[in-house]
Amino acid sequence: MATEKTFTVAGTATLNGNTKVRFANDLVARIKILAKNNCTDINLVELPHAMTKMQALQHLQELGVTGDASFAVSTKLAEKTKLAKKGEIKVVGVKVAAKTTKVVAPTEA
């Protein structure tokens, strides 16, 4: 069974008017790459510990990101939640009527 990849940095960045959620393991290197590619409004934060994308998105929401970044985080979280639920199996129960049984008194021999 494969383990999910974890990240230590998460946040948002805007490129050509599109704000996207970004994940990384090195804050400085990621900021340099985003700036080199003409991204604006770069807002990356160090996570308290290594997290999966789902956990990181939940953490970003708890931090209270606002504006376009908030929309990007909530949209990506909804997408990840939908994918996570897709793998779940829903068990549907079938109602069964209980049969009445006749109690027979023990006979003495």
Side-chain angles (χ1 to χ4, degrees):
M1 186 171 152
T3 59
E4 282 193 74
K5 189 171 180 180
T6 57
F7 301 92
T8 57
V9 176
T12 58
T14 304
L15 177 64
N16 299 328
N18 295 327
T19 302
K20 292 185 178 183
V21 181
R22 307 294 183 165
F23 303 95
N25 284 312
D26 184 353
L27 179 66
V28 175
R30 189 63 172 144
I31 289 174
K32 285 181 180 180
I33 291 168
L34 292 171
K36 180 180 172 185
N37 290 317
N38 299 321
C39 285
T40 58
D41 299 328
I42 301 169
N43 184 17
L44 300 176
V45 295
E46 290 270 355
L47 300 172
H49 55 85
M51 298 181 174
T52 63
K53 286 185 178 183
M54 178 85 81
Q55 292 167 334
L57 288 165
Q58 290 169 341
H59 180 72
L60 289 173
Q61 267 196 331
E62 289 171 7
L63 290 177
V65 292
T66 59
D68 289 341
S70 175
F71 179 75
V73 169
S74 60
T75 302
K76 190 69 166 179
L77 184 59
E79 176 186 318
K80 288 288 182 189
T81 303
K82 185 176 179 181
L83 287 175
K85 286 186 177 184
K86 197 175 200 179
E88 292 178 3
I89 298 172
K90 189 174 182 180
V91 178
V92 179
V94 178
K95 291 185 180 182
V96 178
K99 293 183 178 180
T100 58
T101 57
K102 188 174 186 180
V103 177
V104 179
T107 57
E108 291 185 33

